[in-house]
């Protein structure tokens, strides 16, 4: 499975950045960065599954240090072209010592990690006590989740489609159950609640209205129906560390 996932994202890296400077993809990247920014400012940050570095580049602009890891050499080549500090690694085997980062975040990646529990433990391991994790999942109880279950494969290149990569959808309740005791759940932020099809945000007038509506809904309980659920969790401080 790991080799298949790596091959998929190496192929995806050839076109990944092409449509992402406008419309839907720009909205989502900016929304994810907006959630991470308060935790990242003047801190040491790790992004797990940094891809071509679109969010990591933003994080590097506010953090004292921003490091990324990704499974795909193709994605990492693009990130290095941005001048970013990145390493090839699996989410379940991070090449860092314990308690190295103030914030560990992951966007659009954990739903494609088959061994999620192992990845969560690794991300927690490299987070300092009292540090933060921002973890994004795909919500089955959302417009996006429902459509994703029934739609035909979507081609990413002439050699690959999105059904070729492992994908899991997790409810908020399931996510909370999977969080280890070493972290405490703090909040959930839902993104893309109202938009059934991403292409709608690429339409000149409709897209701007949808983006504004999505930003407003993020501040309401309706955001729990978002296609993307970003969970914030905090690593507990051991009593021994306080003595």
């Amino acid at each position: 499975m790991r080799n298949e996932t790596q091959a998929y994202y190496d192929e995806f890296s050839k076109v990944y950045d092409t449509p992402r400077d406008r419309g839907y993809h720009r909205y989502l990247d900016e929304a994810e960065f907006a959630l991470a920014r308060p935790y990242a400012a003047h801190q040491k940050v790790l992004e797990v599954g940094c891809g071509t570095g679109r969010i990591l580049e933003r994080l590097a602009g506010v953090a004292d240090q921003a490091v990324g890891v990704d499974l795909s050499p193709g994605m990492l080549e693009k990130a290095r072209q941005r001048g970013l500090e990145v390493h090839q690694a699996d989410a379940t085997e991070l090449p860092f010592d314990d308690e190295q980062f103030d914030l560990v975040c992951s966007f659009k990646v954990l739903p494609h990690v088959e061994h999620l529990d192992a990845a969560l433990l690794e991300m927690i391991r490299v987070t300092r006590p009292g540090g933060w994790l921002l973890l994004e999942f795909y919500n089955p109880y959302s417009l996006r989740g429902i459509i994703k279950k029934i739609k035909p494969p979507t081609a990413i290149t002439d050699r690959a489609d999105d059904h070729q990569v492992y994908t899991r959808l997790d409810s908020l309740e399931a996510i909370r159950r999977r969080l280890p005791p070493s972290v405490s759940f703090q909040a959930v932020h839902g993104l893309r609640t109202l938009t059934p099809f991403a292409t709608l945000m690429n339409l000149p007038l409709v897209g701007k209205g949808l983006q504004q509506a999505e930003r407003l809904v993020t501040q309401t309980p309706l955001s729990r129906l978002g296609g993307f659920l970003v969970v914030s969790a905090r690593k507990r401080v051991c009593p021994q560390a306080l003595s």
Side-chain angles (χ1 to χ4, degrees):
M1 180 65 71
R2 173 175 172 171
N3 290 338
E4 293 174 5
T5 301
Q6 180 177 313
Y8 172 85
Y9 282 104
D10 281 343
E11 182 67 18
F12 201 178
S13 71
K14 299 174 184 177
V15 298
Y16 188 84
D17 283 337
T18 304
R20 293 180 183 260
D21 288 323
R22 59 182 177 83
Y24 169 71
H25 291 293
R26 180 169 182 171
Y27 147 76
L28 188 56
D29 285 349
E30 289 182 346
E32 290 163 339
F33 170 64
L35 290 176
R37 181 172 185 157
Y39 301 97
H42 309 297
Q43 301 296 311
K44 188 172 181 180
V45 179
L46 171 66
E47 184 183 4
V48 176
C50 64
T52 64
R54 300 191 68 87
I55 295 176
L56 185 62
E57 185 174 40
R58 292 172 168 90
L59 292 170
V62 300
D64 284 346
Q65 182 183 12
V67 183
V69 298
D70 202 277
L71 186 62
S72 163
M75 291 285 189
L76 291 171
E77 181 181 355
K78 306 284 187 182
R80 291 190 181 102
Q81 289 172 6
R82 288 187 158 93
L84 298 170
E85 180 183 349
V86 294
H87 307 270
Q88 185 180 2
D90 191 298
T92 63
E93 298 177 81
L94 298 175
F96 306 106
D97 292 336
D98 296 352
E99 303 177 1
Q100 291 294 296
F101 299 96
D102 303 295
L103 168 67
V104 177
C105 58
S106 184
F107 301 103
K108 311 181 192 79
V109 171
L110 294 177
H112 304 295
V113 176
E114 186 176 13
H115 302 293
L116 175 61
D117 293 335
L120 292 176
L121 288 174
E122 271 293 270
M123 294 171 71
I124 294 166
R125 178 184 66 79
V126 301
T127 304
R128 67 167 179 81
W132 291 87
L133 297 102
L134 288 181
L135 312 168
E136 186 175 79
F137 300 88
Y138 298 165
N139 183 5
Y141 305 123
S142 65
L143 288 174
R144 179 182 183 273
I146 293 167
I147 291 169
K148 195 169 184 66
K149 289 177 184 177
I150 62 177
K151 76 174 183 64
T154 299
I156 59 164
T157 69
D158 58 1
R159 298 176 56 187
D161 63 63
D162 62 352
H163 282 199
Q164 291 175 239
V165 66
Y166 172 84
T167 304
R168 185 190 59 257
L169 287 81
D170 297 284
S171 68
L172 178 58
E173 293 73 20
I175 297 165
R176 294 190 65 164
R177 286 197 300 269
R178 297 188 84 146
L179 291 178
S182 54
V183 297
S184 59
F185 171 88
Q186 298 291 312
V188 62
H189 311 274
L191 304 176
R192 187 181 159 181
T193 303
L194 304 174
T195 307
F197 301 101
T199 52
L200 291 175
M201 277 199 189
N202 298 330
L203 301 176
L205 295 178
V206 174
K208 288 183 179 179
L210 271 175
Q211 290 182 41
Q212 182 62 29
E214 291 285 7
R215 293 187 184 102
L216 292 173
V217 168
T218 300
Q219 310 301 319
T220 76
L222 281 177
S223 71
R224 292 200 173 201
L225 298 177
F228 300 88
L229 296 177
V230 183
V231 167
S232 62
R234 196 167 195 182
K235 186 170 179 178
R236 300 184 191 277
V237 178
C238 296
Q240 293 87 341
L242 300 175
S243 59

